[in-house]
Amino acid sequence: MQVMILAAGLGMRLRPYSLIRPKPLFPVLDQALLVRVINQVKYYGADSILVNCHHLGKQIVTAIAGLDNVHIQEEPEILGTGGALNKALSFFDNRPLLIVNGDIYHTIDLAWVYEEHLASGADATLVLQYYPRFNNVTLYPDGKISGIRDNLQAKPETAFTGIQVINPDLLRSLPEGIYADIIDYYQHWLKKEVNLRGLLSQGHFWSDLGTADDYLALNKRLLKLVSLNRKFSVFQGKDIALPSDVILRDWVVIGSGAQIGGGSHLERVVVWDGAVVDEKSVLKDEIVT
């Protein structure tokens, strides 16, 4: 299975944090989200992985350097999802391409997604979910997509997860070397009666790191799970020495190598690896970079 991980976005809604790190490198329980995504697609059988990058791209290049079967596509000019996929065609063979966003955390079975696409005969398969906040897709009764985003035929009841499988022949019609949004082309292909299928996934967990609140909520949820849902929970990475007078409340994530000043009070806070919290700081519902 060949996979492309999209990791070139600007992360506008996560500024100022995304001015320091690209969104796919935001740590989740002290692990860069992109590294988790890479491990996830490998678990489901990926044998060839391409990661694109643009914004703060050198950080992404460094983060994945040396990983087996993982390659980088640097984009000096941002190409969007469509432009990036067209540029990547020369790297991949003619097998259907699994595409995932580098800034989502999910538990969807990617092997099932790929197998469903192969069995369907569709030109492209978009993985959907029930998620009212992001609903933007309508379906025919047979599972084919009838509308997406701006050309909806009815009230949308499903949302696109950012996970998709596309046959390379379809991608060859995308423009070369210029910005293009794959969703715009899905809308165009619907008018051309291209076989676009929606695959509804249920019973999974999915989170988009769209905003700072989303990011904090994801860390909270995962921390509560690993802490067996105790009312108070803390995650500490490596090489951390907490002064005895530090106060931690509700939940706190402290990344490896972070320095926490004496007398500090942290409550519902994520401290990135290597970050410094000054003495006697009082921080609540914050990200410390």
Side-chain angles (χ1 to χ4, degrees), residues 184-203:
D184 290 340
Y185 280 83
Y186 280 138
Q187 293 177 324
H188 169 73
W189 290 328
L190 284 174
K191 298 175 184 177
K192 300 296 183 179
E193 298 186 353
V194 173
N195 187 355
L196 305 181
R197 183 189 180 212
L199 179 62
L200 185 61
S201 178
Q202 302 183 65

Side-chain angles (χ1 to χ4, degrees), residues 133 205 207-208 211-224 251 270:
R133 176 180 165 191
F205 174 70
S207 177
D208 165 52
T211 67
D213 286 343
D214 292 332
Y215 175 69
L216 289 171
L218 174 60
N219 277 275
K220 173 186 176 180
R221 179 186 176 107
L222 297 178
L223 182 54
K224 294 293 185 181
W251 64 268
V270 176

Side-chain angles (χ1 to χ4, degrees), residues 111-125:
W112 166 72
V113 170
Y114 197 78
E115 290 165 3
E116 286 289 318
H117 173 78
L118 294 178
S120 72
D123 296 301
T125 297

Side-chain angles (χ1 to χ4, degrees), residues 65-83:
L67 297 180
D68 292 340
N69 299 321
V70 180
H71 305 270
I72 195 77
Q73 175 174 289
E74 296 186 70
E75 299 172 7
E77 301 293 332
I78 194 163
L79 296 174
T81 50

Side-chain angles (χ1 to χ4, degrees), residues 1-14:
M1 183 167 64
Q2 52 187 3
V3 178
M4 184 162 187
I5 301 174
L6 300 173
L10 301 177
M12 298 293 288
R13 291 181 297 157
L14 274 165

